[in-house]
Amino acid sequence: MELRAGEQEDCRRFKDSPISHKDQIQISVSDPAGPGYGLLSTTRKYVKPMNFQEEVRAHRDLDSFLAQASIILDEKATTLDEVLKRMLIYVVEDGHGSCDLDEVMNSLFTDAGGKECNVHLLSETIQGVTATPAGVHYQQSWLCILCNMRSLQRRHVCIARLERPQNWGINCCEARYVILILAPPRTKSTKTAIELGRTFATMFSDISFRQKLLETRTQEEFKQELVYHRQQLSVANEKPVIEEMEDSDPRRGKPLQGRDFFKAGKGVYGDLCRRLPLYPSDFTDGITGRDRSLLKYTTTAIFLYIAILLPAIAFGSLNDESTRGEIDVQKTIVGQSIGGVIYALFAGSPLVIPLTTAPLAIFISVIRGICDDYYLDFPAFYACIGLWNSFFLILGGLFNVSLLMKLFKRSTEEVIALFISIAFVGDAVKGTIKIFEHFYHPPTLVTTNSSLMLHQINEILQEVKNQTGQNKTMSIFLPESLVLCTRERPILCLLLMLGTLWLGYALYLIKRSPYLNDKIREVVSDCALPISVVILSFIGSYLFLDIQLPVFSVHNGPVFNFPPFAKLTGMNTLSAVGLGFLLALLIFIDQNIVISLTHVPEHKLLKGTAFHWDLLLTGFINILLSCLGLPWMHAAFPHSSLHARQLAKVEQHVENGHLYTIIVSVKETRLTSLAANILIGLSAFMLPIPLQWIPKPVLYGLFLYIAATSLDGNQMVDRMALLLKEQTSYPPTHYIRRVPQRKVHYFTALQMIQLIILCAFGMYPLPYMKMVFPLLMILLVPVRTSLLPKVIDAKYLDIMDSQHM
């Protein structure tokens, strides 16, 4: 076999150098040209240096090594194989571990002890490199070798300093230090061989540190240099605190100061100055240019239409029951369309979706109870409270009250967000329980008048005999007019609710499956909710036509009612101030937290926020709704976050065996919410038919679907899941790397306690308790800023609250 000069050079390099800077190497042996021929598969991967100032695992790795240090000074062996054998023997003889020498040696090299191929290269190594215009230069004096062994129970590290520099190949011409890392393959993501190698490779990449190690004479001096260099790395990596530029985003910029609240209109002015130049692009992005997204916009608008319409029907039905028809489904739909269109056109955060929500429906029911107790006119008192509420919201927007969002940390926002998701589940469960309480009984006759009932049954029997003859036997079903309730109705309701959840969530997850092609998977996933609602509504209303399912009521009457303020006395108007303030507090907290959760860094939104202007706009919208007798609204979670994710372009990548979905960009447009709210306005003409074909259990299934999909990206949910996982399954997130595991679990447990308290008060059956619920949410702020730092170090709290993936 003849080789060209370049190929002969490559063969000599493989023979002379056992160093291969690869992560995975496989050899496929065949014999097309003679013995010794094989195929070598190589993979290079960048490894991020260990951050000793932030990553707690770096210090724990070094402390663990120092406690049972395996250090060989002035090793006289000259070949890499001899050095590695001496290191393995030292680890075993020193009592720090036990392993099969031949098995480890076979795992360290690519030939794995085979006789058919003599390509003797290291399987996995870490070396320092420097990128220059001339190419990549390797640090020649040290080498970190990694090995995963199934027979190991714990990790082992051995460091050898050679007596003289050795030439082990083109990328390791003057080797002086060898670091051997042995680890079991199945371990926690921050304890793998590559993570342990990162720690020591980062330390040995400093040439001055390597020079100091040459001067040490004993193992104790060697350890002292390791400890000292760790301290130097921890100090050197500290980042100077840079004061952020002043921004209209209240979550950033300078610390909160009292005088900021007296600069009337400054926040609104800043929002408008920054947002108005981008206003035309809110309509043209994705419509013009190369990156068009018409299909994405269409599927998102359909999703929003269903996701907004069905809650409007559900909460409208709740308002209808509590107000005895004063605010019904039709008014809720019309109010949603009016407020939604105004918000879509003029809001500074167009991805945020305003809705009438469950807390507002409960607030309205409380107002109705007060009116009944004190003989007040409900439309007038309702409008008066709404006007006071809008007054406080407008004041809050003008006097920059949204700056208080600086005090709300991410953990506090996630507790409230998870409470909202649980509240959706609670509404679905309570609605289903009511159906079971009302209908889940043995067949019951409509009347207790036995003579009347017997007379009707005899008439049915006589009619059947006349039709079938005397000698035939047939099963006779009583007509629905005689039977009050049967068990099939609640069972069907339960199946429809769970079916809506299952089908919607299964279609939502299809984008992660290998079925169909990428474009179809994306469209099906975006339309998961509309598809499930249509299919389950068809099943419930058509296939089971003989089973009467609960539906919402529709009243014939004027949609707009101007309130008769003349029926209220001056004292009645003043008494509405307190209720208006509590309502404004509720809307203020929900509005700002929803905007904050929608504009998390993970969504990569570029056009910024407009907290102050959006709060002012919400106040003006609620003035209009109050005067028309329509339900109030504010920014809603999780619809706003789901809207951003629907418009996102995502990519998936794998890190340490964990699959991550990363948002690359989001189309920040007004068209989707504008189109959805216009369609909702047209839906008012579809009452009662065909909207009454949507059974209530399907609405409850929608609540469960929204709650389930809103959990994606909630770090509190991810940390709660860690409590049920084994350590080997922990993902390598920023808080797992930088915070001790026990502290992470403490923090999660404290968040769960806060969540339980919120649920206890927020779901307490006493309506008046829910009116002071906003005050309880505000109390979460001092708990986070003052109480939690006494239990967990402030630096760890800041890491877990940081806006990282």
Side-chain angles (χ1 to χ4, degrees):
M1 180 176 65
E2 296 181 1
L3 297 176
R4 294 188 297 272
E7 292 175 335
Q8 293 175 357
E9 174 68 15
D10 290 340
C11 289
R12 285 198 300 271
R13 288 184 183 179
F14 274 137
K15 184 175 180 180
D16 295 339
S17 175
I19 310 303
S20 176
H21 309 281
K22 331 297 185 208
D23 291 303
Q24 297 176 356
I25 294 180
Q26 298 176 349
I27 298 174
S28 175
V29 178
S30 60
D31 194 15
Y37 176 81
L39 300 177
L40 185 67
S41 171
T42 64
T43 302
R44 289 183 175 89
K45 184 175 69 173
Y46 170 77
V47 178
K48 187 178 180 181
M50 185 69 76
N51 189 324
F52 277 75
Q53 197 270 332
E54 294 183 347
E55 298 190 53
V56 67
R57 177 49 57 186
H59 300 274
R60 295 196 170 188
D61 287 342
L62 187 57
D63 290 338
S64 176
F65 171 73
L66 295 175
Q68 296 180 334
S70 295
I71 302 174
I72 302 176
L73 300 181
D74 300 328
E75 172 59 42
K76 294 181 172 57
T78 58
T79 66
L80 179 59
D81 288 52
E82 292 175 352
V83 172
L84 291 175
K85 288 180 181 178
R86 286 282 299 117
M87 296 174 74
L88 291 171
I89 292 172
Y90 184 85
V91 170
V92 175
E93 290 180 349
D94 210 27
H96 295 160
S98 60
C99 56
D100 187 328
L101 181 62
D102 294 334
E103 182 185 2
V104 176
M105 289 298 294
N106 291 337
S107 299
L108 288 173
F109 293 94
T110 59
D111 53 14
K115 298 179 181 179
E116 297 179 353
C117 183
N118 59 357
V119 182
H120 195 63
L121 299 175
L122 288 169
S123 297
E124 191 171 7
T125 63
I126 299 178
Q127 260 188 291
V129 295
T130 303
T132 66
V136 176
H137 296 287
Y138 288 83
Q139 292 185 353
Q140 307 276 345
S141 62
W142 65 277
L143 178 64
C144 182
I145 303 171
L146 312 178
C147 179
N148 291 295
M149 293 293 299
R150 294 184 180 275
S151 58
L152 294 178
Q153 300 297 322
R154 53 180 297 270
R155 303 179 301 167
H156 302 283
V157 180
C158 183
I159 300 176
R161 186 185 69 188
L162 306 184
E163 187 178 36
R164 293 183 179 85
Q166 301 296 328
N167 185 356
W168 288 339
I170 188 170
N171 293 329
C172 198
C173 296
E174 48 184 25
R176 198 67 188 269
Y177 299 97
V178 179
I179 308 157
L180 178 61
I181 308 289
L182 304 176
R186 185 169 175 79
T187 185
K188 188 178 176 181
S189 60
T190 55
K191 294 183 179 180
T192 58
I194 191 73
E195 290 294 318
L196 187 56
R198 282 179 61 220
T199 299
F200 288 94
T202 302
M203 299 184 74
F204 276 82
S205 61
D206 188 340
I207 187 172
S208 61
F209 170 64
R210 298 197 299 271
Q211 187 63 37
K212 291 179 182 178
L213 289 181
L214 288 176
E215 301 171 0
T216 59
R217 298 182 179 180
T218 64
Q219 289 190 3
E220 288 302 320
E221 292 180 1
F222 197 96
K223 292 180 184 178
Q224 289 175 6
E225 287 297 334
L226 288 172
V227 173
Y228 178 75
H229 189 54
R230 172 176 64 178
Q231 295 173 350
Q232 294 298 109
L233 288 174
S234 300
V235 174
N237 286 337
E238 287 185 355
K239 299 176 182 178
V241 179
I242 301 175
E243 186 175 297
E244 297 184 38
M245 297 288 291
E246 187 173 358
D247 194 286
S248 62
D249 188 340
R251 299 171 296 175
R252 303 174 183 170
K254 298 178 181 179
L256 188 63
Q257 297 179 353
R259 62 174 179 270
D260 294 333
F261 298 111
F262 295 99
K263 299 176 181 179
K266 181 181 179 182
V268 174
Y269 178 77
D271 289 342
L272 293 177
C273 287
R274 183 174 43 82
R275 201 64 181 81
L276 281 177
L278 302 173
Y279 187 77
S281 66
D282 294 340
F283 294 94
T284 58
D285 286 352
I287 300 297
T288 60
R290 294 182 179 178
D291 191 15
R292 296 184 180 181
S293 305
L294 295 179
L295 181 60
K296 173 67 78 173
Y297 284 7
T298 302
T299 56
T300 302
I302 295 173
F303 164 80
L304 282 181
Y305 170 66
I306 298 296
I308 297 174
L309 176 64
L310 298 194
I313 293 175
F315 295 132
S317 179
L318 185 62
N319 288 331
D320 185 22
E321 295 174 3
S322 62
T323 64
R324 295 189 287 280
E326 295 283 355
I327 299 177
D328 59 2
V329 173
Q330 186 179 20
K331 290 185 177 181
T332 305
I333 290 176
V334 172
Q336 172 62 48
S337 179
I338 294 174
V341 167
I342 295 174
Y343 200 91
L345 287 174
F346 302 109
S349 303
L351 297 186
V352 172
I353 303 298
L355 288 175
T356 184
T357 60
L360 293 180
I362 294 171
F363 210 97
I364 291 172
S365 68
V366 172
I367 294 174
R368 180 71 216 201
I370 293 174
C371 292
D372 292 341
D373 293 340
Y374 295 95
Y375 306 103
L376 302 176
D377 183 79
F378 173 76
F381 195 60
Y382 171 83
C384 187
I385 293 174
L387 292 177
W388 279 116
N389 155 63
S390 300
F391 171 73
F392 289 121
L393 290 178
I394 292 172
L395 284 182
L398 291 175
F399 288 95
N400 315 315
V401 180
S402 292
L403 290 174
L404 291 174
M405 287 304 296
K406 292 180 185 292
L407 304 177
F408 281 81
K409 303 296 183 180
R410 175 169 184 156
S411 57
T412 305
E413 295 172 356
E414 289 182 337
V415 169
I416 297 175
L418 189 53
F419 166 77
I420 295 173
S421 299
I422 294 175
F424 272 106
V425 176
D427 290 337
V429 172
K430 284 189 292 186
T432 306
I433 290 175
K434 285 183 179 179
I435 294 175
F436 269 79
E437 289 177 346
H438 188 66
F439 295 111
Y440 194 75
H441 302 288
T444 306
L445 299 178
V446 173
T447 178
T448 56
N449 189 333
S450 57
S451 59
L452 178 61
M453 185 60 61
L454 288 174
H455 176 70
Q456 292 178 344
I457 293 175
N458 286 330
E459 289 182 351
I460 295 173
L461 291 174
Q462 187 63 39
E463 183 178 351
V464 170
K465 286 181 180 180
N466 294 336
Q467 293 177 355
T468 61
Q470 297 290 337
N471 298 324
K472 293 185 179 181
T473 302
M474 287 189 62
S475 299
I476 300 174
F477 295 93
L478 296 179
E480 191 175 348
S481 59
L482 298 181
V483 181
L484 182 62
C485 62
T486 53
R487 285 181 174 149
E488 64 267 15
R489 189 180 301 179
I491 296 299
L492 179 59
C493 290
L494 179 63
L495 293 177
L496 289 176
M497 179 185 73
L498 297 179
T500 305
L501 169 64
W502 171 79
L503 182 58
Y505 201 68
L507 295 177
Y508 171 75
L509 295 178
I510 199 172
K511 59 186 176 184
R512 305 176 187 175
S513 72
Y515 303 109
L516 307 175
N517 62 50
D518 182 61
K519 201 67 178 177
I520 296 177
R521 288 200 302 266
E522 183 181 3
V523 172
V524 172
S525 180
D526 290 344
C527 296
L529 180 60
I531 292 173
S532 62
V533 168
V534 171
I535 291 177
L536 271 297
S537 297
F538 174 77
I539 292 174
S541 299
Y542 183 77
L543 297 185
F544 292 91
L545 190 60
D546 55 333
I547 300 178
Q548 186 177 1
L549 296 173
V551 294
F552 59 90
S553 303
V554 177
H555 304 285
N556 293 323
V559 178
F560 305 118
N561 292 317
F562 191 80
F565 289 111
K567 295 184 178 181
L568 296 179
T569 64
M571 188 59 65
N572 297 149
T573 305
L574 289 177
S575 64
V577 174
L579 293 174
F581 178 77
L582 290 176
L583 179 60
L585 195 60
L586 172 66
I587 293 179
F588 166 79
I589 295 174
D590 283 352
Q591 175 83 17
N592 287 285
I593 286 180
V594 169
I595 295 176
S596 181
L597 290 171
T598 306
H599 288 79
V600 291
E602 290 90 335
H603 289 170
K604 295 182 173 62
L605 302 182
L606 303 177
K607 296 182 180 180
T609 59
F611 281 83
H612 312 287
W613 166 249
D614 287 349
L615 187 64
L616 190 74
L617 179 63
T618 302
F620 285 124
I621 291 174
N622 283 316
I623 287 178
L624 178 62
L625 297 178
S626 299
C627 293
L628 296 178
L630 304 177
W632 306 302
M633 59 170 44
H634 59 76
F637 181 86
H639 299 73
S640 302
S641 296
L642 294 177
H643 185 201
R645 282 187 232 154
Q646 286 283 125
L647 291 169
K649 179 182 179 182
V650 300
E651 290 181 353
Q652 292 184 338
H653 71 90
V654 178
E655 182 180 352
N656 292 344
H658 297 273
L659 180 65
Y660 293 93
T661 301
I662 303 298
I663 293 178
V664 178
S665 62
V666 176
K667 293 292 184 184
E668 300 181 59
T669 180
R670 300 178 185 271
L671 297 178
T672 49
S673 58
L674 182 63
N677 283 289
I678 291 174
L679 290 175
I680 288 172
L682 297 177
S683 299
F685 298 101
M686 294 191 288
L687 290 172
I689 302 298
L691 288 185
Q692 269 194 335
W693 290 345
I694 304 176
K696 279 189 177 181
V698 175
L699 303 182
Y700 302 149
L702 167 110
F703 286 172
L704 296 180
Y705 171 86
I706 289 177
T709 53
S710 69
L711 301 181
D712 289 347
N714 191 313
Q715 286 185 8
M716 179 181 173
V717 176
D718 297 338
R719 283 186 273 103
M720 289 169 64
L722 296 182
L723 300 173
L724 305 176
K725 292 181 179 179
E726 57 179 348
Q727 292 189 4
T728 56
S729 301
Y730 283 13
T733 56
H734 71 280
Y735 49 84
I736 292 295
R737 292 182 182 277
R738 298 162 59 186
V739 181
Q741 178 180 316
R742 185 174 299 177
K743 301 291 185 183
V744 172
H745 293 329
Y746 281 167
F747 183 66
T748 305
L750 292 171
Q751 277 189 298
M752 293 172 65
I753 292 173
Q754 297 175 60
L755 177 63
I756 292 172
I757 295 174
L758 277 184
C759 292
F761 279 86
M763 299 181 181
Y764 194 75
L766 186 62
Y768 291 95
M769 184 72 72
K770 296 179 175 64
M771 300 187 69
V772 297
F773 182 70
L775 299 175
L776 186 63
M777 289 195 288
I778 291 179
L779 289 178
L780 295 180
V781 174
V783 169
R784 167 60 183 86
T785 56
S786 302
L787 183 60
L788 292 189
K790 296 180 180 179
V791 182
I792 302 174
D793 294 345
K795 63 178 182 180
Y796 294 142
L797 290 175
D798 293 337
I799 290 171
M800 288 184 282
D801 269 338
S802 62
Q803 307 283 356
H804 287 79
M805 286 298 290

